[in-house]
Amino acid sequence: MAFAAFFAREARACQIIFRKEVVIRPAFSCRKKIIQKKALLIALSLFISAPVFAKRQEPLSSWLYREKTVAVKRMFANISPKGGAVGAVAASPSRKNPNYWYHWVRDAAITMNEIVYRLDGIETPEERQIETQMLKNYAAFSRLNQKSKAKTGLGEPKFNMNGTPFNGAWARPQNDGPALRAITLLHWARQLKSQSHKKELNAIYNSKAPQNSVIGADMDYVSTHWKQPCYDLWEESFGFHFFTQMLERKALLAGAKLSQESGNFQRALFYKNEAKSLEVEIEKHWNSGRGYITVTVDQSNMRYKNSGLDSSVILGVLMGNTRDGFFAPEDDRVLDTALALENAFRRIYPINHGRKSIGIAIGRYPEDRYNGTDVFAPDNGNPWVLSTEAFSQFYSTLASDYSKKGLIALTPRNLPFFKSLPLKRGDAASLKVGETIRNSDPLFQSLISALRKKGDGFMEVVRRYANSDGTMSEQIDRKTGRMVSAANLTWNYAGFLSQDRARR
Ligand code: NOJ
Ligand code: NOJ
């Protein structure tokens, strides 16, 4: 604007009217002066807009590459941070509005599972040693949590950063915690086993007396508590939750495997049978009338949370994936749920309106009232970074799962989902119920690239709203797109790494 005003003033001085049909020719010297000024101004404005321009033009893959470094660094910063016990993982360094300076069992397990994945690909022995130590510390800290006199024992959702139980009022128990902790440590146990690291393995799983080790204690808890209702992962609703149950099932199956291999056949059988009975309960979340998987069965509080739509269903599918087809990402019911969630979040968040972009900002659930403060009010809920990342991970996972399978069967249930993908109009129109598209068909490749494109679309959204230094807070303001609530949320960075694994 300042440039324009300046330019106009100059022009007036030379008595030129800036229109195409300039009739009065200014004197030569004046024209030359203007041309010089004009060139200078163009150069100057290009220079000034260069960073903005560069940001917009940077290919997503290049941003993701840079962001990964930020994610790893910021995630590490919250593991055994200064001021906390060794092995504790802070949910966020934020000490007020909101205070997330706690070791949340769920967030910590999700984070440390990414460390286990990293160990598979780590190159230098130094790095390997550092990250192995992180896991050892986490396992030891977790064992102390289990043994402490917490109000709900192993179902306790969070601990003070010094390891003592948090005794204030809270939504407890949350039974996804011990399941997730077991999943992470069982994942690590599998790795240690394959590398014959007996000593480390024995420290987390005692095959003679499982109940005396961190994994065994969680398995005991999960196998005997899954029949009881509890609070959900968002620490609000009480009942039986799809997310919690999917993780309990995965923990039971992984626990059964390790028990079997260690000669604890009775335990293995018990866990397997419990997992089977649990499957019957998980099936109850499918609501054919609504056409999506509903989040909670027998919900006894929060009457305003009534659509049953919740992005934690997608998180449960991803984190509870046992690769045996049970509520797998490509299950028609899961695809329908993803589509229903997207439609709801597109509608309710102003930042998603009027955008042609492929991805959208995703929140926890449509009726959410939590914006990081104590003020709970309708329409307060915001999109969340970790939920948006999960949708990206979901689409990337679908792309690679279908690629491996080599075919896509179109059914009455999944057709709307596939039609909603970013496809060429002709391709979308040619999709018909009853058809099976094989990888020899060019349409198959179009569908796979559309799934990948969609996955990237969600990371475009994350990039759009992340701080310019790549740091990310828990939420994205639904109206302004600003980062709000807990800064540097550890789960955001772990979620980034999960999405990155799926994308590769
Ligand atoms: C209430 C929120 O709804 C819940 O999700 C959150 O975990 C707690 N407050 C803690 O901040
Ligand atoms: C609130 C979220 O609802 C919950 O899932 C999380 O564990 C805590 N914040 C800590 O990040």
Side-chain angles (χ1 to χ4, degrees):
M1 278 319 275
F3 287 140
F6 170 71
F7 199 39
R9 225 175 28 239
E10 276 297 303
R12 246 177 282 124
C14 287
Q15 294 170 341
I16 291 187
I17 301 151
F18 278 94
R19 275 202 225 108
K20 278 219 177 93
E21 22 355 281
V22 178
V23 263
I24 309 152
R25 293 187 148 244
F28 177 70
S29 66
C30 184
R31 239 170 56 207
K32 198 171 147 201
K33 209 172 130 196
I34 288 195
I35 289 167
Q36 279 173 350
K37 277 250 161 70
K38 200 172 179 180
L40 190 77
L41 284 174
I42 290 173
L44 206 67
S45 63
L46 273 181
F47 174 74
I48 287 171
S49 64
V52 180
F53 192 65
K55 188 181 173 193
R56 215 176 281 154
Q57 287 308 101
E58 182 182 6
L60 178 70
S61 54
S62 143
W63 182 80
L64 290 172
Y65 184 81
R66 292 195 295 118
E67 181 62 16
K68 191 171 170 180
T69 316
V70 178
V72 170
K73 190 176 143 200
R74 297 287 175 165
M75 190 175 93
F76 281 6
N78 295 345
I79 300 175
S80 300
K82 245 210 329 268
V86 172
V89 181
S92 148
S94 172
R95 313 270 182 128
K96 58 174 198 298
N97 302 324
N99 181 1
Y100 276 25
W101 184 247
Y102 292 100
H103 173 97
W104 255 276
V105 176
R106 165 182 39 258
D107 300 48
I110 290 168
T111 302
M112 296 314 286
N113 202 22
E114 285 307 319
I115 303 286
V116 183
Y117 278 114
R118 279 175 59 79
L119 279 179
D120 266 335
I122 269 175
E123 264 128 52
T124 71
E126 292 78 23
E127 269 180 275
R128 170 165 292 282
Q129 207 246 321
I130 291 172
E131 297 190 31
T132 302
Q133 193 58 50
M134 287 182 182
L135 280 165
K136 285 187 187 169
N137 295 341
Y138 163 70
F141 181 83
S142 298
R143 185 70 188 123
L144 288 178
N145 291 167
Q146 288 177 337
K147 286 181 175 165
S148 69
K149 296 249 166 323
K151 285 194 170 167
T152 51
L154 273 65
E156 197 64 13
K158 68 175 193 181
F159 289 82
N160 296 315
M161 283 298 286
N162 65 8
T164 58
F166 168 80
N167 286 326
W170 210 251
R172 51 164 72 88
Q174 296 174 18
N175 291 346
D176 60 317
L180 277 162
R181 190 165 52 197
I183 289 170
T184 292
L185 292 170
L186 282 160
H187 181 193
W188 188 35
R190 194 127 297 288
Q191 206 179 60
L192 291 171
K193 210 158 189 281
S194 71
Q195 299 161 346
S196 317
H197 290 314
K198 280 232 172 70
K199 217 182 97 209
E200 281 95 341
L201 179 61
N202 291 341
I204 56 172
Y205 183 70
N206 179 340
S207 56
K208 300 267 147 49
Q211 68 282 2
N212 294 337
S213 54
V214 63
I215 291 180
D218 276 336
M219 289 314 304
D220 277 354
Y221 183 88
V222 172
S223 59
T224 54
H225 287 74
W226 65 264
K227 285 191 185 121
Q228 289 164 25
C230 66
Y231 281 95
D232 72 333
L233 81 163
W234 307 135
E235 323 196 273
E236 298 172 327
S237 85
F238 195 79
F240 295 97
H241 319 285
F242 183 85
F243 176 86
T244 306
Q245 292 176 318
M246 283 294 278
L247 294 160
E248 287 170 330
R249 173 181 178 271
K250 180 168 175 153
L252 286 167
L253 292 178
K257 190 157 185 229
L258 185 63
S259 306
Q260 178 88 24
E261 290 166 357
S262 321
N264 289 314
F265 304 117
Q266 257 186 328
R267 263 199 159 76
L269 191 65
F270 172 58
Y271 296 160
K272 255 189 264 174
N273 285 337
E274 295 304 294
K276 273 271 155 288
S277 317
L278 176 50
E279 281 169 14
V280 178
E281 301 305 311
I282 301 178
E283 292 285 346
K284 293 182 181 164
H285 289 270
W286 168 243
N287 185 320
S288 59
R290 285 175 158 177
Y292 51 81
I293 299 164
T294 54
V295 58
T296 301
V297 165
D298 291 343
Q299 182 178 308
S300 59
N301 61 350
M302 293 182 85
R303 294 188 58 188
Y304 67 91
K305 186 179 181 182
N306 52 25
S307 69
L309 279 171
D310 193 310
S311 63
S312 69
V313 169
I314 300 301
L315 282 169
V317 164
L318 293 170
M319 293 187 196
N321 195 346
T322 40
R323 313 210 162 272
D324 56 0
F326 186 77
F327 281 99
E330 60 268 31
D331 186 317
D332 284 1
R333 297 170 296 180
V334 174
L335 301 179
D336 277 2
T337 308
L339 187 58
L341 283 162
E342 283 173 41
N343 289 338
F345 292 127
R346 182 174 295 110
R347 204 170 49 237
I348 64 169
Y349 297 140
I351 58 168
N352 285 334
H353 294 169
R355 275 197 186 271
K356 281 251 166 56
S357 66
I358 292 171
I360 53 163
I362 301 285
R364 299 197 297 184
Y365 54 92
E367 306 88 347
D368 200 353
R369 297 178 171 187
Y370 174 61
N371 63 3
T373 66
D374 293 333
V375 186
F376 284 70
D379 300 332
N380 249 6
N382 289 316
W384 281 44
V385 171
L386 68 91
S387 316
T388 309
E389 289 169 337
F391 266 67
S392 176
Q393 184 185 345
F394 176 66
Y395 278 92
S396 300
T397 306
L398 285 175
S400 55
D401 285 0
Y402 280 121
S403 289
K404 271 186 222 129
K405 216 164 153 191
L407 55 89
I408 295 175
L410 297 174
T411 67
R413 276 244 161 265
N414 70 25
L415 189 71
F417 173 84
F418 284 105
K419 277 196 183 282
S420 78
L421 293 176
L423 288 163
K424 281 197 232 95
R425 195 177 298 202
D427 284 346
S430 67
L431 301 177
K432 301 251 150 50
V433 167
E435 270 174 23
T436 298
I437 301 152
R438 294 178 194 280
N439 53 10
S440 50
D441 185 339
L443 190 53
F444 183 83
Q445 276 324 312
S446 306
L447 285 170
I448 300 296
S449 3
L451 287 167
R452 291 199 194 287
K453 214 160 139 190
K454 186 91 189 248
D456 281 359
F458 289 100
M459 290 318 288
E460 281 288 5
V461 171
V462 171
R463 150 158 89 165
R464 186 183 308 142
Y465 301 117
N467 294 318
S468 56
D469 63 357
T471 57
M472 302 181 287
S473 307
E474 183 183 65
Q475 307 178 22
I476 305 164
D477 185 283
R478 57 153 71 197
K479 291 201 196 90
T480 65
R482 266 203 297 272
M483 296 260 87
V484 289
S485 189
N488 286 307
L489 189 82
T490 316
W491 188 347
N492 283 348
Y493 301 124
F496 181 91
L497 297 179
S498 316
Q499 143 314 115
D500 178 67
R501 274 187 295 105
R503 199 170 178 273
R504 277 183 289 121

